[in-house]
Amino acid sequence: MNKTTTLLFLFLFTFLTTSLSKDLCNKDDKNTLLKIKKSLNNPYHLASWDPQTDCCSWYCLECGDATVNHRVTSLTIFSGQISGQIPPEVGDLAYLQTLVFRKLTNLTGQIPSTITKLKYLRYLRLSWNNLTGPVPDFLSQLKNLEFLELSFNELSGSIPSSLSLLPKLGYIDVSRNKLTGPIPESFGSFKGQVSGLYLSHNQISGFVPKSLGNLDINRMDFSRNKLQGDASSLFGANKTTGYIDLSRNMLQFDISKVEIPNTLGTLDLSHNGITGNIPVQWTEAPLQFFNVSYNKLCGLIPNGGKLQTFDSYSYFHNKCLCGAPLDSCK
Ligand SMILES: *[C@@H]1O[C@H](CO)[C@@H](O)[C@H](O)[C@H]1NC(C)=O
Ligand SMILES: *[C@@H]1O[C@H](CO)[C@@H](O)[C@H](O)[C@H]1NC(C)=O
Ligand SMILES: *[C@@H]1O[C@H](CO)[C@@H](O)[C@H](O)[C@H]1NC(C)=O
Ligand SMILES: *[C@@H]1O[C@H](CO)[C@@H](O)[C@H](O)[C@H]1NC(C)=O
């Protein structure tokens, strides 16, 4: 080997060894992650979290690129044998945009207030666990939050009205908990497009706020609660809603003049106290699922559109509905 080749090899060797041994992982993030692992009792699920290796190579997380100095931007702990509470240290992963604890039936306790330190957080999914306590008011401090999923837990108390202060929040799923109290009046003042509002299987009571009619929500499921009164503001021919499930509440209003969006694919109003006639305008919607059974409807089922593609079980148990698919009107 001549001198130049030797130098080149030396250079390459130095370059490779330093670049391979250099952790991308931020030291603070690594320390925090190791505390999180310890606080979850060193579960097998986090076996790849070995202090000797670069934390950006560990499972269940992602580091950002050089623009954020490879800080941890995503932590997703999903479906493992994990017992304990959400470690408060997650609040120290300062660059997190995504935080997921999902399908961990032995994950108990409350949502820790330390997550308010996560000022870049966009996606928060803490669903299918056994979390207790409230849907915390402090979530309204997460100004970048776009997506909030807390479904399938044991959360109680009422829905904090302050959530509507979040300028980017467009998806809320708090279904399948033990929530009580009303739908906050403030929910009519969400700034952005609301793609989903899922409140089903709780004990939510009171009237559906009229202000919700100001929004054009893509999908809403308020089923199996204790809502009462008039929900007609949720409808409107000019909206682009695709999915409305209000079944199994105590709603009482007249649908005779209610127009539905011509984008509506699912409408479930079953098991309420809804009165009036089904409007002819409803034949214009591309309905694929339709159920108005167990109400107090009356009169002729309009003929046309999709309305006769459903069988009598979509219409039965009403006051005096008639016409196909039910018996013809007298
Ligand atoms: C939950 O905890 C119980 C009791 O400690 C244990 O038997 C069970 O395997 C745990 N389940 C999961 C999914 O971790
Ligand atoms: C968690 O929830 C499941 C299903 O809801 C339940 O069967 C289980 O007992 C709960 N576990 C704990 C530790 O609360
Ligand atoms: C629907 O939109 C049309 C045209 O933009 C408008 O004339 C009409 O008043 C609107 N109807 C309702 C109920 O908002
Ligand atoms: C409509 O709801 C009723 C009452 O819950 C139910 O018996 C029926 O099967 C439903 N129809 C469809 C198509 O799901």
Side-chain angles (χ1 to χ4, degrees):
M1 268 195 272
N2 66 29
K3 208 174 161 192
T4 330
T5 354
T6 317
L7 271 176
L8 187 67
F9 268 99
L10 204 67
F11 172 76
L12 267 177
F13 180 76
T14 327
F15 174 77
L16 278 175
T17 47
T18 50
S19 67
L20 282 179
S21 66
K22 192 173 183 305
D23 279 8
L24 290 177
C25 182
N26 173 279
K27 282 198 178 60
D28 293 340
D29 284 351
K30 190 177 211 171
N31 283 335
T32 301
L33 290 164
L34 291 169
K35 282 186 200 157
I36 290 171
K37 180 177 177 183
K38 190 170 173 221
S39 149
L40 294 170
N41 305 309
N42 299 313
Y44 177 73
H45 197 71
L46 303 180
S48 70
W49 293 20
D50 170 359
Q52 307 306 320
T53 60
D54 180 1
C55 82
C56 290
S57 70
W58 295 355
Y59 289 166
C60 307
L61 61 87
E62 280 169 30
C63 291
D65 60 18
T67 61
V68 292
N69 296 317
H70 306 287
R71 300 298 298 257
V72 173
T73 53
S74 164
L75 179 65
T76 297
I77 300 184
F78 172 71
S79 195
Q81 300 269 56
I82 282 178
S83 300
Q85 305 204 357
I86 298 177
E89 292 87 355
V90 294
D92 295 327
L93 294 170
Y95 285 73
L96 274 192
Q97 294 178 23
T98 299
L99 177 61
V100 182
F101 281 89
R102 200 154 186 267
K103 296 216 170 171
L104 307 166
T105 48
N106 285 355
L107 192 71
T108 55
Q110 303 201 5
I111 300 170
S113 60
T114 52
I115 64 169
T116 56
K117 292 191 275 180
L118 301 172
K119 57 181 189 291
Y120 301 112
L121 198 67
R122 294 163 62 197
Y123 299 93
L124 180 60
R125 305 181 77 179
L126 308 173
S127 46
W128 298 81
N129 305 307
N130 270 329
L131 299 177
T132 51
V135 174
D137 194 41
F138 58 67
L139 293 177
S140 63
Q141 294 173 38
L142 297 166
K143 295 296 180 205
N144 280 303
L145 200 65
E146 296 167 22
F147 188 103
L148 176 64
E149 184 187 80
L150 305 174
S151 48
F152 289 89
N153 280 296
E154 305 275 312
L155 300 174
S156 55
S158 55
I159 304 171
S161 61
S162 58
L163 289 180
S164 65
L165 298 172
L166 291 174
K168 299 177 182 170
L169 190 60
Y171 184 100
I172 300 173
D173 185 353
V174 294
S175 57
R176 308 251 180 183
N177 278 291
K178 295 179 168 169
L179 300 175
T180 51
I183 303 175
E185 184 72 39
S186 66
F187 271 27
S189 56
F190 274 107
K191 292 287 174 298
Q193 174 65 32
V194 178
S195 65
L197 182 56
Y198 300 91
L199 311 175
S200 74
H201 290 80
N202 280 294
Q203 314 275 337
I204 296 168
S205 58
F207 295 95
V208 175
K210 255 204 165 57
S211 61
L212 276 187
N214 302 336
L215 303 178
D216 185 9
I217 303 172
N218 298 128
R219 296 172 72 86
M220 52 190 136
D221 185 353
F222 299 173
S223 64
R224 294 184 190 248
N225 278 296
K226 295 179 169 174
L227 295 168
Q228 47 175 303
D230 184 357
S232 59
S233 72
L234 300 176
F235 298 84
N238 286 3
K239 298 190 182 191
T240 58
T241 310
Y243 187 103
I244 302 180
D245 187 351
L246 304 177
S247 64
R248 293 181 192 261
N249 277 287
M250 304 183 306
L251 298 169
Q252 279 182 316
F253 61 102
D254 186 330
I255 55 160
S256 307
K257 292 199 170 72
V258 170
E259 296 190 318
I260 61 176
N262 62 13
T263 47
L264 196 62
T266 291
L267 179 59
D268 195 343
L269 299 174
S270 62
H271 287 276
N272 278 289
I274 296 170
T275 56
N277 301 282
I278 298 176
V280 174
Q281 189 264 351
W282 289 22
T283 61
E284 295 165 21
L287 292 164
Q288 291 174 338
F289 182 92
F290 182 78
N291 203 334
V292 294
S293 66
Y294 290 88
N295 277 295
K296 295 176 178 166
L297 299 173
C298 224
L300 175 69
I301 297 168
N303 207 312
K306 301 286 184 192
L307 292 184
Q308 276 69 40
T309 63
F310 308 105
D311 65 19
S312 59
Y313 294 105
S314 288
Y315 295 96
F316 74 155
H317 277 275
N318 270 289
K319 196 169 156 209
C320 47
L321 268 186
C322 56
L326 299 179
D327 294 343
S328 56
C329 301
K330 301 221 170 71

